[in-house]
Amino acid sequence: MRRWQSATVTGSRAETATAHTLSLRVDEWNGHLPGQHVDVRLTAPDGYQAVRSYSLAAPADDGVIEITVQRLPGGEVSEFLTDIAMIGDELEVRGPLGNWFVWDQEDPSPVLLVAGGSGVVPLMSMIRARHQADIQTPFHLIHSVRTPQDRIYGDELTRLAAQAGGPSVTWLYTRTAPPSETRPPGRLRQNDLDDGSSWTSGATPTCFICGPTGFVEDAANHLLAAGHHADRIRTERFGGR
Amino acid sequence: MVHVTRGFTGRHPATDDRLPPGQYLTDDFPVLSAGPTPAIRRDEWTFSIRDGDQALRSWTWDEFTALPAEDITVDIHCVTRWSRLDTAWRGVAIDDLLADVDTAAEYVLARSYGGYTTNLPLEDLLDGKAWIAYEHDGDDLPAEHGGPARLLVPHLYLWKSAKWIKSLDLVDDDDPGFWESLGYHDYGDPWREQRYQGD
């Protein structure tokens, strides 16, 4: 279906102490749906290859795609991409991949996005696509992070949320909250997801949950308990390296 | 063509000749599902073999777990590239479940609680190649890994081993299931890296 293509690193920036965004120029890229991912392949001089999947972080910009990589301890691909890769380097990509965890821009249903840690990446792709296309579909993002410093895309999300018609954004802190925060730090709780009714104007939201397995299990169960239907909840879990 | 990535040497992690191409070994058991984990009560669970709308065989939980079971030790391979070797399961061989069934069907559509489906050739479920498994590592199969019971077809990528199995439908045509209709391969042989349609 999709062949491997050479991709050139054209941009590299730190999002947090452990998350890094890479811009990649790909010769033939016909766009992708918000929520899709790519496979990234690295090749060592002795021919050894390693492949991992990364969510696309934004709509393509004239053949340039973006991924945001969370550095994992001992992660041979993530450590290369966050610490070693430089502008001008070449690697290989295959994609776009995944047709399930995607937001349909034509669907007027409100969208509830629930992210744990770097699970925000494919959800940010949806938020950026909505912004670029100037779509008014109600969006609400709930992002669970350890500390305020772990807010990937924090400035951009704050800016978008402040705009008329922008998404509403809530951060939940598991370890350390900013002084202004009234919610005590802790893992996702049922009532963290209960207060969503005011932004949906009565329509049934589509829910996208992305994060580590335990987080996604908890979030999905909380949403079911809050009355959301299983067939309106799409999940993407990451485990392994 | 070898396309070397500057600065990448790789860790050359432990490998094994039982590891298919493009896979890495893990000791974790990652979970990948498209939606919430269904909560299925055992006193409401049934499993059936179906031909069209007709259930040819059907078992309650007590009936199913009273069937002769096998302990199975197999390697499993997920399309997301992790593999685990020597995983331990207990379950009932599909051969035994189909022993008295006479069918001309060549394919099976596995159906799960929660609506998931996956398509397989019938012959890939026979001759000791597939089971309905309800224990893992000596314990009840956890819900997030497909409990109460899941299909186990270890020679194909793990999405074919449908979690929360509800029925096996004997069908004439190889119509795509859930992931197959979203671009994944119809057969899914890890040794031929059949990840996506066209691979």
Side-chain angles (χ1 to χ4, degrees), chain B residues 7 12 18 20 26 33 44 63 75-76 80 84-85 88 93 101 105 107 109 113 146-147 157 177 196:
Chain B
H12 299 70
R18 287 189 286 163
T26 182
S33 313
E44 295 176 349
E63 289 167 347
D75 305 338
I76 54 175
T80 63
R84 295 184 69 199
L85 304 183
V101 173
Y107 298 97
L109 188 69
Y113 290 90
Y157 282 127
Y196 310 110

Side-chain angles (χ1 to χ4, degrees), chain B residues 24-92:
Chain B
Y24 63 82
L25 287 171
T26 182
D27 297 323
D28 297 337
F29 195 165
V31 172
L32 290 138
S33 313
T37 298
I40 304 143
R41 291 169 44 145
R42 290 190 173 152
D43 57 0
E44 295 176 349
W45 182 91
T46 63
F47 171 74
S48 53
I49 307 287
R50 304 198 312 170
D51 185 355
D53 291 335
Q54 189 191 358
L56 302 176
R57 297 283 184 281
S58 188
W59 296 267
T60 65
W61 181 256
D62 288 343
E63 289 167 347
F64 195 83
T65 52
L67 296 171
E70 299 176 9
D71 290 311
I72 309 134
T73 301
V74 290
D75 305 338
I76 54 175
H77 311 292
C78 179
V79 71
T80 63
R81 300 181 182 277
W82 58 263
S83 292
R84 295 184 69 199
L85 304 183
D86 296 324
T87 58
W89 307 80
R90 185 170 177 80
V92 180

Side-chain angles (χ1 to χ4, degrees), chain B residues 10-11 21 33 35 44 53 58 67 94 104 133 136 150 156 174 179:
Chain B
R11 294 186 196 282
S33 313
E44 295 176 349
D53 291 335
S58 188
L67 296 171
I94 306 295
H136 174 62
R150 75 182 297 168
L156 301 177
D174 193 23
W179 287 121

Side-chain angles (χ1 to χ4, degrees), chain A residues 1-2 4 6-7 37 39 41-53 74-77 79-80 84-86 89-92 94 97-101 213 216-217 220-221 224 229-231 233-241, chain B residues 1-15 22-39 79-83 114 143-145 163-164 178-179 181-184 193-199:
Chain A
M1 176 181 71
R2 307 274 179 209
W4 287 103
S6 174
H37 61 270
D39 281 354
R41 180 162 77 180
L42 308 179
T43 304
D46 64 0
Y48 170 81
Q49 293 185 321
V51 180
R52 296 293 182 274
S53 296
E76 63 173 356
V77 177
E79 286 189 347
F80 172 84
I84 298 172
M86 296 189 307
D89 281 352
E90 286 192 20
L91 40 80
E92 288 174 293
R94 186 190 195 203
L97 301 167
N99 287 302
W100 171 246
F101 195 81
T213 294
V216 172
E217 286 290 314
N221 288 332
L224 290 173
H229 288 281
D231 59 6
I233 302 173
R234 298 190 178 202
T235 62
E236 188 156 271
R237 306 156 209 238
F238 44 79
R241 284 164 292 177
Chain B
M1 184 190 83
V2 181
H3 190 290
V4 173
T5 315
R6 181 211 64 86
F8 179 69
T9 50
R11 294 186 196 282
H12 299 70
T15 188
Q23 298 292 109
Y24 63 82
L25 287 171
T26 182
D27 297 323
D28 297 337
F29 195 165
V31 172
L32 290 138
S33 313
T37 298
V79 71
T80 63
R81 300 181 182 277
W82 58 263
S83 292
E144 67 266 30
H145 290 307
K163 297 174 181 179
W164 315 299
F178 178 83
W179 287 121
S181 65
L182 290 166
Y184 284 81
E193 281 210 80
Q194 292 173 334
R195 300 175 190 275
Y196 310 110
Q197 298 284 352
D199 278 352

